[in-house]
Amino acid sequence: MTLRSVPIVDRVTDAFFALDTDFRFTYVNERAETLLKRSREELIGRVMWDEFPQTVETQFPDGFHRAMDEQVPVSFEIYHAQLETWFEARAYPSESGLSVYMRDVTERKVQETTLAQHAAVVEAVNDAVVTLDRTREIVTVNDATETALGIDRTELIGEHVERLIERAGIADEDAVEIGRAITDIDIGSAVERTLEVPFTDADGTDRIGEFRFVPIEDDVATVAAVIRDVTDRHEYERVVTSLHEVTRWLLESDDPEEICAIAVHSGSDLLELPISGVWLLEEEQGYLDPVAGTAGAHDEFGGLPRFNPGEGLVWDVFESGEIERFDDLRTVEDIYNPDTPIRSEIIAPIGTHGVLMTGSLEPHQFDETDVDLISTLVENTRAALDRADREQVLRERTAELERQTERLESVANVLSSDLKGQLSTVADALQSEPGGDAGTHEEWEFPLAEDSVEATLDRAEGLVDDVREFARNASTVGTRSRICLESAIDEALERSRLDYDSVVVEEPATLRADTDRFVHLLKTAFNDAAARADSEVTIQVGLVGFENGERSRGFFLLDDAAEIPPAAHERVLDPTTDPDVAETEDGVATDGLGLALVRAIAEAHDWELSIDNGENGGTRLEVRDVTTLEREA
C-alpha cells in the first residue's frame, strides 16, 4: 500500500484494515479503529489472532485462510456482540496479504429478520394470505392458501387475482364486491374492507370465508387479503338460533317427558349427537329414571339404564350441578359400565330435574363449543321443565280447589243430615213425655240416659273431626317417614271403636307415609266396619302385589260386617255422586264420612283405594300403588 493511497482509504465509510501473509496488521483506517476500539499504533505489526483472540471462534479464521491459501476473494457476515452490530466482511487477497473491508449491515439484517419473521408468521397462520400488486397480480400466497384451494402456489403467483377467484368457485356478484374492496384499499379510500363470501374448498365442500383486505408497504405488493374460514362460526350461530327456536317448542309443552324428548332429538338433529338421553329424578324413590333417548342410544344399548344414588359419573355430575366433558372414558375411574363402548361423553345437569348425557364411540369427539351448545340446550330444557312444574302445580291446585268445593258441599249435606238425626232423637225423646209439654211438669227428667247423651256428643265430635280431615287439601301430605304397619294398626285401634283383638295382621310390613294421616285412615276404616256390624267384627289385614304377575303393591282390609252392596260402592267413596240418597235406601249404614275420608287420605299419598265384596261376605278395601311397601324379614 502506498502512502498516496492512505488518505483515500482513510476516508471510506467502511472499516478497512490490511494484513500481511502472517496476518499482522499493516494498516488500519479510522473507521476500523472505532470498530476495533484500538488505535492503529497499537495494532500495526501485531498478529490479529493475538490481539483479538475472540475472533478465533468466528468465521474470520476460515474465511481469511481460504482467501490467502486459494487466492480468492471471500465474503461473509458476522455479528459483533460488543457493538451489537452486523457486519459484512469482504477479504481480497494479494501476494503481500489481505485487504479487508467491513460494512455495517445491521439495518439490512434487521429488515431481513423482520421480513423472515413476518413470512414465517404468514406461513404458520391457519388463515389464507395473498398479496397483490397494483395490477392485481398475485405476488405471494402462503401454505394455508395452497391447502384451502388444493393448488400449488406456482400456479397462482404472477397470475391475476381472477385466477384465484375462479379456483375458489366464487360467484360473479361476490367477485365484483372483492374487486371493489381491493380498489378501495389500493387508492386509499378505506384502510380496511371486510366481506363474507361463500367459496368452495379443495374437497369441493361449500364454505364461508371472511375476506379482509388491508394495505401493505412492500417494494412490490400493495394489498394483502387475509381469508379466514368462518364456516364453523356461521354454523355455531345457526345452531344457536335454532336452539332458541327449539326453546319455543319446549315452552309450548307442559309434559316433562315430551320436553325431554324434544331436547334429545334437537340435540341429535342440530348438534349431531346421535347417542343421547335424558334422565329425570324420581323424587319419591330417589333415582334417575331414563325418560327419553335417541334412536342411536337405543340401537347401541337396547335401552337406557336407571341410575341410583352414587352410581357412575351421571350421578356424580347430577349432584355437583356442573357440566362435565370426558375426553376418554378409558382413563376415567369408577365409571358405571367399565365395558361401555362409549369413549367420550358430555354430561350436563338439567337443574335439579335430572341430566342430559351424550356420548361418542370415539375419544376426544367433543370440544368447548359442544359444551357451550349443550349448556344452552339444557338451560332451555330446565326452563321448560320449571314452567311445566309450575303449570302442573297450578292445575293441581285448581283441580283441588274444585274438589274441595265439592267436598265441602258434600260435607255440609252429610253433616246436616247426620246432626239432624241426632237432634231428632233428642226431640222425639222430649215429645215422648206425657202431654208433649215438658215445661208443664214440675218433676221432669231428661228422657235420654246419660250414656246416650255422651254417645251423641261423641258422634258429633267425631263428625267435626271427619269434616276437618276430609276438607284438607289432598296434596298437603306431611313428611313421610318409615312406618311399621302393625304399630300403625295398634295406634289406630286405640283411637277406634274396635277392640284390639278385632284385627288380624297376616304378616309384618313397612311403608313410608305421613304417620298421623295414615293412622287416621286406618281408624276411619275400622270405625266404618264397626258401624256396619250388628255384633263383634273381625278385620283381616294382608299384603297384595308381591307375587309374579300382580299389579302394584298394596294392602287390604277384609271385614265380616254387613257388606256394602256393589251399587253403593261409588256413593260411599264419593258423597258427591248422589248426596241425596239416604243410607236406608241402599241398606248401607255409615259412620260420618266413612270411606270417603279413607279415599281422600289414600289419594293424598298418591295411592288408589277400591272396594269389593269378600268371597264369604263382608267388605274388602284394597289400597294399591304403595310403592314403598316392603315385607319385613
Side-chain angles (χ1 to χ4, degrees):
M1 179 179 298
T2 63
L3 292 176
R4 184 184 300 175
S5 66
V6 170
I8 298 175
V9 175
D10 222 23
R11 290 197 298 269
V12 298
T13 57
D14 294 345
F16 171 80
F17 57 88
L19 302 173
D20 63 17
T21 55
D22 293 325
F23 298 103
R24 298 176 186 275
F25 287 99
T26 59
Y27 182 76
V28 180
N29 74 352
E30 291 180 1
R31 180 62 176 155
E33 286 182 301
T34 302
L35 170 63
L36 302 175
K37 295 185 179 181
R38 302 279 290 277
S39 67
R40 65 183 68 180
E41 287 77 11
E42 293 178 286
L43 295 176
I44 298 299
R46 301 284 186 177
V47 176
M48 180 179 179
W49 318 126
D50 294 339
E51 297 303 313
F52 300 100
Q54 67 271 23
T55 60
V56 174
E57 302 299 327
T58 68
Q59 292 173 275
F60 279 112
D62 290 341
F64 286 2
H65 280 98
R66 178 169 173 267
M68 195 80 77
D69 295 342
E70 300 179 13
Q71 287 294 296
V72 294
V74 296
S75 177
F76 52 86
E77 292 178 348
I78 189 167
Y79 182 70
H80 196 295
Q82 291 180 337
L83 295 179
E84 298 182 349
T85 303
W86 279 95
F87 289 96
E88 179 186 59
R90 290 173 292 140
Y92 298 94
S94 65
E95 293 181 359
S96 59
L98 292 175
S99 295
V100 181
Y101 293 87
M102 296 182 66
R103 175 174 296 174
D104 186 342
V105 293
T106 303
E107 185 176 350
R108 175 171 62 80
K109 290 292 290 184
V110 169
Q111 290 178 346
E112 290 176 354
T113 301
T114 301
L115 289 174
Q117 291 172 343
H118 289 173
V121 170
V122 169
E123 290 297 338
V125 296
N126 293 325
D127 298 338
V129 180
V130 178
T131 61
L132 309 173
D133 64 15
R134 292 192 181 279
T135 65
R136 309 294 187 268
E137 290 185 356
I138 299 172
V139 177
T140 62
V141 297
N142 67 343
D143 285 343
T145 307
E146 293 181 299
T147 302
L149 300 181
I151 188 173
D152 191 274
R153 68 183 67 191
T154 57
E155 298 181 45
L156 293 176
I157 293 177
E159 296 290 331
H160 195 275
V161 69
E162 290 180 353
R163 174 81 172 90
L164 182 144
I165 291 174
E166 292 173 0
R167 181 62 183 235
I170 296 173
D172 292 342
E173 57 270 23
D174 293 321
V176 171
E177 288 300 315
I178 289 174
R180 289 174 181 168
I182 294 172
T183 300
D184 288 344
I185 298 300
D186 207 13
I187 65 177
S189 62
V191 295
E192 181 179 321
R193 285 289 307 277
T194 302
L195 305 172
E196 286 193 352
V197 177
F199 72 97
T200 304
D201 67 11
D203 298 325
T205 304
D206 293 335
R207 314 290 292 177
I208 301 293
E210 180 186 74
F211 286 64
R212 187 163 60 93
F213 300 95
V214 295
I216 58 173
E217 296 181 3
D218 189 271
D219 293 338
V220 180
T222 58
V223 178
V226 181
I227 307 163
R228 173 168 295 176
D229 189 332
V230 293
T231 308
D232 291 342
R233 188 183 73 194
H234 271 255
E235 179 64 13
Y236 178 85
E237 292 170 353
R238 183 193 70 80
V239 170
V240 170
T241 301
S242 298
L243 284 177
H244 288 302
E245 179 66 17
V246 169
T247 303
R248 183 177 63 81
W249 302 339
L250 291 170
L251 294 177
E252 286 177 352
S253 175
D254 57 8
D255 178 23
E257 291 193 11
E258 183 181 34
I259 289 170
C260 294
I262 293 172
V264 163
H265 293 296
S266 298
S268 177
D269 297 339
L270 292 176
L271 308 183
E272 298 182 356
L273 306 173
I275 304 177
S276 301
V278 169
W279 287 254
L280 293 183
L281 180 66
E282 209 294 320
E283 294 186 0
E284 184 173 346
Q285 298 294 331
Y287 53 70
L288 289 169
D289 199 34
V291 296
T294 59
H298 286 285
D299 291 344
E300 190 65 41
F301 302 105
L304 300 177
R306 173 183 293 171
F307 293 101
N308 292 304
E311 285 186 343
L313 301 176
V314 168
W315 190 270
D316 293 343
V317 171
F318 174 66
E319 280 197 328
S320 73
E322 299 291 334
I323 188 170
E324 292 282 354
R325 186 184 86 205
F326 301 94
D327 293 326
D328 190 347
L329 291 179
R330 292 186 181 176
T331 65
V332 179
E333 297 180 356
D334 300 327
I335 62 176
Y336 178 75
N337 177 15
D339 300 322
T340 177
I342 298 295
R343 291 292 305 278
S344 55
E345 66 184 10
I346 295 176
I347 306 175
I350 310 173
T352 58
H353 299 283
V355 296
L356 180 148
M357 180 173 68
T358 185
S360 172
L361 302 180
E362 299 295 329
H364 303 281
Q365 287 298 297
F366 304 109
D367 56 22
E368 284 303 315
T369 298
D370 296 311
V371 172
D372 290 342
L373 291 173
I374 290 176
S375 295
T376 301
L377 177 61
V378 297
E379 180 59 24
N380 293 341
T381 304
R382 181 202 60 76
L385 290 172
D386 285 347
R387 175 182 172 277
D389 283 352
R390 289 193 298 270
E391 299 222 344
Q392 178 65 25
V393 169
L394 181 61
R395 285 195 299 271
E396 290 176 354
R397 287 178 178 174
T398 301
E400 182 57 31
L401 285 174
E402 293 174 354
R403 288 196 300 270
Q404 199 166 18
T405 299
E406 293 177 353
R407 283 177 183 164
L408 292 175
E409 290 175 352
S410 302
V411 165
N413 291 333
V414 173
L415 185 62
S416 174
S417 175
D418 220 341
L419 289 180
K420 280 181 181 179
Q422 305 304 314
L423 293 175
S424 293
T425 301
V426 175
D428 291 344
L430 289 173
Q431 291 175 1
S432 65
E433 185 70 18
D437 187 356
T440 61
H441 298 275
E442 295 180 358
E443 295 183 0
W444 178 83
E445 294 182 358
F446 193 74
L448 293 179
E450 181 180 349
D451 57 347
S452 298
V453 173
E454 184 177 353
T456 300
L457 294 177
D458 286 347
R459 180 167 174 75
E461 183 180 358
L463 278 172
V464 172
D465 288 342
D466 284 357
V467 168
R468 183 184 299 113
E469 181 67 29
F470 188 77
R472 289 174 65 178
N473 189 324
S475 65
T476 57
V477 176
T479 302
R480 300 191 189 200
S481 57
R482 190 170 182 269
I483 302 172
C484 172
L485 181 60
E486 287 184 293
S487 298
I489 289 173
D490 290 345
E491 187 174 349
L493 284 170
E494 289 179 5
R495 303 182 189 180
S496 73
R497 301 177 191 173
L498 297 182
D499 296 330
Y500 180 81
D501 295 334
S502 299
V503 176
V504 178
V505 181
E506 289 185 347
E507 58 181 314
T510 62
L511 70 156
R512 294 183 65 83
D514 179 333
T515 304
D516 182 61
R517 299 201 73 182
F518 182 63
V519 169
H520 202 117
L521 178 152
L522 294 172
K523 182 202 79 170
T524 305
F526 295 161
N527 285 344
D528 180 81
R532 288 186 282 106
D534 294 332
S535 57
E536 293 184 358
V537 64
T538 300
I539 299 177
Q540 177 185 358
V541 180
L543 306 182
V544 292
F546 285 88
E547 303 301 328
N548 292 334
E550 287 271 1
R551 60 192 182 96
S552 60
R553 293 181 179 183
F555 59 91
F556 69 85
L557 290 82
L558 176 60
D559 63 60
D560 56 5
E563 69 177 23
I564 301 174
H569 287 178
E570 185 61 27
R571 183 183 69 77
V572 298
L573 289 179
D574 186 0
T576 65
T577 302
D578 194 356
D580 295 327
V581 175
E583 63 183 36
T584 57
E585 292 185 22
D586 52 24
V588 180
T590 59
D591 182 66
L593 294 175
L595 299 183
L597 180 58
V598 174
R599 183 185 197 181
I601 298 174
E603 290 180 348
H605 286 81
D606 298 321
W607 302 337
E608 180 184 349
L609 175 70
S610 61
I611 300 180
D612 202 352
N613 296 117
E615 294 180 359
N616 300 314
T619 300
R620 176 186 172 103
L621 302 181
E622 196 169 282
V623 180
R624 291 274 189 169
D625 294 336
V626 187
T627 57
T628 57
L629 184 66
E630 298 288 346
R631 283 172 167 161
E632 281 193 337

